[in-house]
C-alpha cells in the first residue's frame, strides 16, 4: 500500500514504485515505505536493479539505495536490458553502456532499440537500419533501403520495412521470408 501523500504513482518494477510529490520523483518499496525521497525531476523505473534519473539537466543511474552509480552525463537514458542500456551522448550519438557506466558499444548510431534476445536494431548515421549483437557486431548489416527494422524475436525473425511498401520478415541471415509486404505484422511466438 502506497501512502496517499503522492501526486502520481507508477507501476511496480522490481519491487519498487516511482512516486511523485510536488513535481519531484522518488521511490517507495512494495510495503509503501519511502526508500528514495522524491528529489529527481524525472526518473525511469528500476530495471536490473538500476533506475535512470534526471539530475541537473543530465541523465545518470542510481541503485536501490538511491546512490548514484553512473554519473549524470547523458542527454537520454533507457532502462537496462540484458546488462546493457542505450544512452544518448551530447554529440547526438546513441551508444550502449554496461551497469558500471562504461561504453561497451560505440557506434555512429542516430538511434537504437533496447537489447532483446541478444540483439538490438540500430539506425547508423549514414548507412541505415541494421541489427547488432551484444558485442556490437553487425548481424544484419545496415542498409539504406530499410526504412525501419525491429529486433529479432525469440524465433529469430525480425520485421523490416522497405520504404513505404510495408513490412517483411527476415531471418538472422537477412533472407526475406515473406513474398509480399504487409502494412502491419503483429507480435507472434511459437
Amino acid at each position: 500500500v502506497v501512502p496517499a501523500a503522492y501526486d502520481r504513482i507508477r507501476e511496480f518494477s522490481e519491487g519498487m514504485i516511482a512516486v511523485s510529490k510536488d513535481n519531484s520523483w522518488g521511490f517507495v518499496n512494495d510495503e509503501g515505505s519511502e526508500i528514495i525521497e522524491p528529489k529527481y525531476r524525472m526518473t525511469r523505473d528500476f530495471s536490473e536493479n538500476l533506475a535512470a534519473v534526471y539530475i541537473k539537466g543530465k541523465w545518470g543511474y542510481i541503485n536501490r539505495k538511491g546512490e548514484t552509480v553512473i554519473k549524470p552525463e547523458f542527454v537520454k537514458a533507457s532502462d537496462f536490458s540484458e546488462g546493457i542500456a542505450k544512452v544518448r551522448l551530447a554529440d547526438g550519438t546513441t551508444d550502449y553502456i554496461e551497469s558500471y557506466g562504461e561504453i561497451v558499444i560505440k557506434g555512429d548510431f542516430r538511434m537504437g532499440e533496447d537489447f532483446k534476445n541478444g540483439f538490438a536494431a540500430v539506425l547508423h548515421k549514414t548507412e541505415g537500419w541494421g541489427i547488432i549483437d551484444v558485442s556490437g557486431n553487425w548481424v544484419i548489416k545496415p542498409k539504406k533501403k530499410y526504412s525501419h527494422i525491429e529486433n529479432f524475436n525469440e524465433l529469430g525473425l525480425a520485421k523490416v520495412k522497405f520504404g513505404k511498401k510495408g513490412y517483411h520478415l527476415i531471418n538472422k541471415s537477412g533472407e526475406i521470408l515473406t513474398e509480399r509486404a504487409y502494412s502491419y505484422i503483429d507480435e507472434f511466438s511459437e
Side-chain angles (χ1 to χ4, degrees):
V1 175
V2 178
Y6 301 106
D7 305 324
R8 291 184 280 172
I9 299 171
R10 291 207 297 248
E11 298 289 323
F12 275 101
S13 178
E14 296 187 1
M16 300 282 271
I17 186 167
V19 294
S20 173
K21 183 177 183 179
D22 299 326
N23 292 319
S24 292
W25 287 90
F27 293 89
V28 298
N29 65 14
D30 54 2
E31 296 173 357
S33 299
E34 190 173 277
I35 304 299
I36 301 167
E37 70 173 289
K39 61 182 178 180
Y40 302 105
R41 185 163 171 250
M42 292 183 276
T43 66
R44 295 188 59 85
D45 293 329
F46 273 89
S47 66
E48 300 185 12
N49 293 311
L50 297 175
V53 294
Y54 194 72
I55 306 168
K56 297 180 182 175
K58 299 285 183 184
W59 285 91
Y61 291 84
I62 59 171
N63 64 18
R64 297 170 69 80
K65 296 177 185 175
E67 301 165 331
T68 300
V69 293
I70 299 175
K71 68 180 181 175
E73 60 180 319
F74 308 111
V75 175
K76 288 186 180 179
S78 70
D79 296 337
F80 274 86
S81 174
E82 300 184 15
I84 299 172
K86 171 183 62 182
V87 295
R88 170 85 41 103
L89 305 179
D91 66 3
T93 59
T94 296
D95 289 339
Y96 291 85
I97 62 170
E98 46 77 50
S99 61
Y100 299 102
E102 296 289 325
I103 293 175
V104 291
I105 300 173
K106 182 152 186 68
D108 289 326
F109 308 133
R110 284 197 328 198
M111 64 176 62
E113 302 288 332
D114 293 335
F115 272 87
K116 181 180 173 187
N117 301 314
F119 303 98
V122 293
L123 177 59
H124 187 273
K125 280 185 173 180
T126 59
E127 302 297 319
W129 282 95
I131 297 179
I132 59 173
D133 64 17
V134 293
S135 298
N137 299 315
W138 291 107
V139 177
I140 300 295
K141 291 189 188 252
K143 295 183 181 173
K144 290 181 181 178
K145 68 180 181 178
Y146 300 151
S147 58
H148 185 73
I149 194 167
E150 295 184 17
N151 287 348
F152 290 115
N153 66 12
E154 61 274 357
L155 301 175
L157 304 175
K159 295 184 263 186
V160 63
K161 188 171 187 180
F162 295 87
K164 296 180 182 179
K165 296 178 182 175
Y167 288 93
H168 286 274
L169 291 176
I170 62 171
N171 62 19
K172 291 180 183 173
S173 298
E175 297 172 281
I176 299 172
L177 304 177
T178 50
E179 290 184 24
R180 60 181 282 249
Y182 296 92
S183 59
Y184 179 77
I185 300 175
D186 203 354
E187 294 298 317
F188 61 94
S189 60
E190 291 183 62

